Amino acid sequence: MAKILVPIKRVVDYETKVRIHADGNKISEDGVKWIVNPFDEIAVEEAIRLKEQKGDVEVVVASIGPDGTSEQLRTALAMGADRAIHVNTDAYIDSDAAHRILAEIYLRDSFQLVIMGKQAIDSDASQTGQLLAARLGLPQATFASKLVIDDSFATATVVREVDGGLETLRIKLPAVVTTDLRLNQPRYPSLPGIVKAKKKPLDVIELSGLGIDTAPKVRIVSMQPPAPRKAGVKVGSVAELLDKLSNEAKVI
C-alpha cells in the first residue's frame, strides 16, 4: 500500500476581519473562524484523487496546533483522508519548527509522497515544504499545477508554474510536492463523509513527547493594521478621468 502524507495548517478564515491583539505582536483570536489553509486543502484533494485513481493508497493528514486543530483534521477526513495525526501544542510554530516536526512524523512511517500547500495564507512564508525536503534528503517539486504519479509510485511528473510559463519535472519518489492554486478544485465534504470522519482514527501526539528542538527562529516584533484607504471620487466624463489619471495619479 502506498502512503501519502498531507500536512495541513490551521489558519484564520480569509473572510474574517482580524484584529491585532493588545500585545501588538499577534492577532486576537477571540471569535475568529478557523479553516484549513486553502493551499493545503488543494493538497488534500489531490491526495484523495490519487487514492481514487490508484486504489491501494492511504492518505494521512497531519497538523500542528492547539486542541481546536482537530476540527480542521476532521474536515480533511470528511473530504476522504483515511486517518489523521495531531501534534498538540499551544506554542508558536514557525516554518523551521514546523519542518522539524513534520520530518519526525515522516520518519515514523513509510510514505511514498508528501504533498502540501506551497504556503500558508497567514504567514505567506513558503518555506516549510522546501525545508522538509532538504532535511529528509528528498527530491522536491514546488508550485505544482499538475501532478501525475506512475502506477508503481516510483516517479512523479510535475508541471510547475514559474515566471514566464510552465516547467515540467520528473522526480523519483518519495518526494515532497507543494501545490499551487490551479492544481484542482477541492471538494466539499459530503454529509456521509462528515459522519464517517467522526469514526476515523485521529492520533494525538504531544509536541513535548517528540523530543526535538522546536525553538522558533522567527520572532514577530509588532503588527500594524494597513493604512486606511482614501475615499474615491466621481468624475463627470472620460476626459476628466484621463486628466486625473495623468496629472494626479500619474499612472498614464
Side-chain angles (χ1 to χ4, degrees), residues 11-18 32-33 35 38 121:
V11 298
V12 174
D13 188 343
Y14 50 81
E15 294 186 346
T16 297
K17 186 176 182 179
V18 298
V32 301
K33 179 183 177 184
I35 61 171
I121 63 170

Side-chain angles (χ1 to χ4, degrees), residues 6-12 34-41 44 62-65 69 72-73 92-95 98 102 116-117 119-125 128:
V6 189
I8 66 174
K9 186 176 183 181
R10 176 186 192 244
V11 298
V12 174
W34 298 94
I35 61 171
V36 177
N37 174 46
F39 289 102
D40 296 334
E41 202 171 30
V44 174
S63 191
I64 309 160
T69 306
Q72 285 66 53
L73 288 167
Y92 168 67
I93 301 295
D94 64 5
S95 299
L102 294 174
M116 58 196 296
Q119 65 195 80
I121 63 170
D122 52 1
S123 64
D124 272 343
T128 305

Side-chain angles (χ1 to χ4, degrees), residues 100-119:
R100 293 172 186 271
I101 297 167
L102 294 174
E104 181 66 21
I105 292 173
Y106 175 90
L107 292 172
R108 291 186 173 201
D109 208 323
S110 178
F111 295 100
Q112 281 67 51
L113 175 66
V114 180
I115 184 168
M116 58 196 296
K118 68 174 185 178
Q119 65 195 80

Side-chain angles (χ1 to χ4, degrees), residues 146-172:
K146 184 178 180 181
L147 173 63
V148 178
I149 305 289
D150 69 4
D151 289 339
S152 60
F153 263 81
T155 63
T157 302
V158 182
V159 179
R160 303 179 63 234
E161 296 192 352
V162 297
D163 290 342
L166 301 173
E167 179 184 50
T168 301
L169 302 177
R170 181 169 292 117
I171 55 176
K172 292 182 179 179

